[in-house]
């Protein structure tokens, strides 16, 4: 039997699946309950093992919760993941299961490549997802839940993502929007080193902007999220502080810059809340940037003195690169990722075939050696004729048995014709 560790991958490709929800497939109110913090991961992995999932890498961000793994039966993967994700929060799995996407085999590989390259993100080109996937993979390996298939796939996905960053300007979109927001913030407040900021939610653009404030200007960042576990995880990622959602009004009063990236599809900050905060601030200016569609902040805030509200459309106009340019870069990035997926699958398919090719060569060499030992004095022509007869005996008998039982289908014949180039030989004879 071939050494499984020598050819780790695509013996199991047909059982490899990615199952989950993201910002497009699942309502926020459900998805946010499914968030899995790092400290909760061991429980999830134990549950996956109970269901026979041999390798597993969960990924949980503000925009997606999904599991990549080798499932005993991929057809049942949605049901398994629905039960595991719903159990800790008391949700009905029957409610979640129809919302789950499922990618199997090569489609699962392609999905992970696209996610790593930030082509499946709410904001295409954002850099956070690659770091989150790397952290998730490291954690899975440390908990011994990863394996050869996931390790090889993620390594190739990370390299494809790096290639996209090197060869396209896809990342400039989010960066240029964040740069536009920082420019407006400087217009409002002057030196940003003396400001304090509040990140509401954990959307990708919000993470970028908060990270640039923290890293580039030393601006203290406080994170608030309706899901406190997610606020803690985001704060840890940014090396920031977090506060409970119930303290939003107090946190708003302390904030010179408010970054709204909750993406809940409803108003989180009302005009009244902003007005009250400004009163307590004695009307020191407040810059608010709403990075969500639909908006997190009531547009009526625009009518409040000393409240300067900018949304994505405002920042798009200020940014140096337009939407069309970013769309073109995204198309180039998709082409690079598609080519990387094709190369990876092709290379791994070759590795899968290698053990069978080695066994075939060894089998034929053993037949040649046995013939030479049995009849060492044969002429070359007689030896060749007898060797061909021995080689073809077992396959010919097997084909006759299939034909006799009416199980010789067109696919088997087509494979035989392709393997031995029979069509080509017939064409040459003609």
């Amino acid at each position: 039997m071939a050494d499984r560790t020598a050819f780790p991958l695509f013996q199991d490709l047909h059982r490899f699946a990615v199952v989950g929800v993201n910002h497009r497939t699942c309502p926020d109110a459900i998805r946010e309950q499914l968030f899995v913090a790092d400290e909760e991961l061991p429980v999830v992995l134990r549950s996956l093992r109970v269901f026979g999932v041999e390798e597993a890498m969960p990924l949980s961000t503000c925009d997606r919760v999904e599991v990549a793994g080798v499932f005993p039966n991929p057809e049942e993967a949605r049901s398994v993941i629905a039960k595991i994700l719903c159990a800790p929060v008391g949700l009905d799995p029957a409610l979640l299961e129809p919302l789950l996407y499922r990618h199997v085999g090569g489609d699962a590989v392609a999905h992970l490549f696209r996610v790593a390259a930030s082509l499946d993100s709410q904001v295409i080109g954002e850099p956070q997802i690659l770091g989150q996937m790397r952290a998730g993979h490291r954690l899975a390996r440390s908990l011994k839940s990863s394996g050869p298939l996931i390790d090889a796939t993620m390594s190739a996905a990370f390299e494809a993502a790096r290639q996209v960053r090197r060869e396209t300007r896809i990342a400039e979109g989010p960066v240029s929007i964040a740069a536009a927001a920082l420019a407006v913030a400087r217009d409002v407040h002057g030196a940003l080193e003396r400001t304090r900021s509040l990140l509401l939610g954990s959307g990708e653009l919000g993470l970028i902007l908060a990270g640039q404030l923290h890293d580039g200007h030393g601006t203290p960042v406080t994170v608030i999220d309706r899901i406190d576990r997610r606020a803690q995880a985001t704060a840890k990622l940014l090396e920031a502080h977090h506060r409970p959602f119930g303290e939003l009004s107090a946190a708003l009063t302390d904030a010179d810059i408010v970054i709204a990236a909750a993406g809940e599809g409803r108003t989180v900050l009302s005009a009244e809340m902003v007005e009250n905060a400004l009163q307590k601030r004695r009307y020191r200016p407040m810059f608010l940037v709403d990075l969500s569609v639909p908006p997190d902040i009531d547009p009526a805030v625009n009518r409040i003195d000393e409240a300067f509200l900018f949304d994505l459309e405002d920042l798009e106009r200020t940014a140096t690169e337009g939407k069309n340019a970013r769309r073109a870069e995204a198309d180039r990035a998709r082409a690079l990722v598609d080519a990387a997926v094709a190369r990876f699958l092709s290379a791994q398919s070759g590795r899968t075939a290698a053990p069978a090719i080695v066994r075939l060569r060894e089998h034929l060499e053993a037949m040649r050696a046995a013939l030479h030992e049995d009849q060492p004095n044969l002429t070359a022509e007689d030896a060749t004729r007898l060797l061909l007869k021995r080689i073809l005996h077992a396959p010919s008998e097997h084909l006759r048995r299939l034909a006799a039982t009416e199980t010789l289908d067109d696919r088997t014949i087509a494979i035989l014709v392709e393997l031995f180039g029979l069509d080509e030989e017939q064409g040459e004879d003609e």
Side-chain angles (χ1 to χ4, degrees):
M1 184 174 179
D3 180 6
R4 189 177 186 278
T5 60
F7 304 95
L9 257 188
F10 287 31
Q11 298 170 19
D12 290 328
L13 181 60
H14 66 288
R15 297 194 294 118
F16 185 48
V18 179
V19 181
V21 293
N22 62 18
H23 57 282
R24 291 189 300 271
T25 68
C26 182
D28 299 323
I30 294 177
R31 193 179 72 250
E32 64 187 16
Q33 294 182 63
L34 305 177
F35 181 81
V36 180
D38 288 354
E39 61 270 18
E40 298 167 333
L41 197 56
V43 176
V44 172
L45 294 175
R46 281 197 295 271
S47 300
L48 286 165
R49 292 187 189 106
V50 168
F51 281 97
V53 181
E54 298 172 14
E55 299 184 31
M57 189 192 82
L59 176 65
S60 185
T61 73
C62 64
D63 281 342
R64 72 181 63 248
V65 178
E66 64 184 33
V67 176
V70 179
F71 291 79
N73 181 359
E75 293 297 321
E76 299 175 356
R78 277 197 189 93
S79 175
V80 169
I81 296 304
K83 291 173 183 174
I84 290 173
L85 293 180
C86 287
V89 293
L91 276 177
D92 181 359
L95 177 67
L96 177 62
E97 190 170 342
L99 304 175
L100 291 166
Y101 52 75
R102 180 179 66 101
H103 304 287
V104 179
D107 290 339
V109 171
H111 171 80
L112 291 173
F113 274 56
R114 287 193 298 269
V115 172
S118 188
L119 292 173
D120 196 55
S121 296
Q122 193 167 4
V123 180
I124 291 178
E126 57 87 11
Q128 269 68 33
I129 187 62
L130 181 58
Q132 290 166 331
M133 290 186 78
R134 283 178 174 146
H137 183 224
R138 283 195 300 270
L139 188 55
R141 293 189 69 177
S142 71
L143 295 172
K144 303 188 186 308
S145 72
S146 188
L149 194 155
I150 288 177
D151 288 347
T153 302
M154 296 315 302
S155 176
F158 297 154
E159 177 53 38
R162 287 192 291 270
Q163 181 189 12
V164 165
R165 301 265 169 204
R166 287 194 307 268
E167 299 183 20
T168 75
R169 295 184 299 164
I170 189 174
E172 291 183 12
V175 170
S176 64
I177 291 174
L182 289 175
V184 177
R186 278 191 291 268
D187 289 341
V188 173
H189 291 296
L192 299 180
E193 287 75 11
R194 296 192 297 269
T195 60
R196 290 188 291 183
S197 64
L198 169 65
L199 173 60
L200 177 58
S202 51
E204 289 101 337
L205 268 178
L207 290 172
I208 294 172
L209 182 50
Q212 291 193 0
L213 282 167
H214 178 272
D215 298 338
H217 301 277
T219 303
V221 177
T222 297
V223 180
I224 285 186
D225 196 298
R226 203 177 293 275
I227 303 299
D228 194 56
R229 292 174 298 132
R230 195 162 63 193
Q232 294 179 37
T234 303
K236 182 179 179 182
L237 183 68
L238 293 170
E239 298 180 348
H241 307 288
H242 78 278
R243 295 177 72 166
F245 192 79
E247 297 180 9
L248 177 57
S249 295
L252 194 61
T253 301
D254 294 336
D256 303 300
I257 299 171
V258 178
I259 306 165
E264 295 183 3
R266 56 185 171 180
T267 299
V268 182
L269 289 184
S270 66
E272 182 182 3
M273 293 172 69
V274 174
E275 177 69 45
N276 290 339
L278 280 167
Q279 286 180 2
K280 293 175 182 176
R281 289 169 57 83
R282 297 184 180 180
Y283 286 94
R284 283 184 292 113
M286 181 184 292
F287 171 57
L288 303 99
V289 54
D290 194 334
L291 301 174
S292 297
V293 179
D296 292 331
I297 303 175
D298 184 350
V301 169
N302 271 313
R303 297 194 291 269
I304 301 174
D305 290 339
E306 303 306 322
F308 300 88
L309 173 61
F310 278 65
D311 61 17
L312 271 176
E313 189 174 340
D314 297 323
L315 297 174
E316 282 280 0
R317 285 194 294 266
T318 307
T320 56
E321 292 288 337
K323 289 183 179 179
N324 291 337
R326 278 193 285 279
R327 191 176 295 116
E329 291 302 304
D331 289 341
R332 289 185 59 214
R334 288 189 187 94
L336 288 172
V337 168
D338 289 346
V341 170
R343 287 195 303 272
F344 178 67
L345 292 176
S346 176
Q348 297 302 333
S349 296
R351 295 177 70 187
T352 302
I357 294 171
V358 170
R359 290 177 62 190
L360 178 61
R361 289 183 180 277
E362 290 175 347
H363 176 65
L364 296 179
E365 174 59 27
M367 292 179 71
R368 186 201 65 77
L371 176 62
H372 180 69
E373 184 176 344
D374 293 343
Q375 302 185 52
N377 298 321
L378 287 176
T379 65
E381 183 177 353
D382 289 341
T384 303
R385 186 180 295 109
L386 184 54
L387 181 59
L388 282 174
K389 183 177 179 180
R390 291 188 180 184
I391 289 172
L392 293 174
H393 175 72
S396 299
E397 288 298 309
H398 187 64
L399 287 171
R400 291 190 186 98
R401 284 196 299 274
L402 291 176
T405 57
E406 298 183 351
T407 56
L408 181 59
D409 56 18
D410 292 340
R411 174 173 169 76
T412 303
I413 295 173
I415 291 174
L416 182 66
V417 168
E418 186 174 356
L419 280 174
F420 289 96
L422 301 183
D423 280 345
E424 294 176 11
E425 290 181 6
Q426 185 177 8
E428 289 171 3
D429 291 342
E430 292 173 354

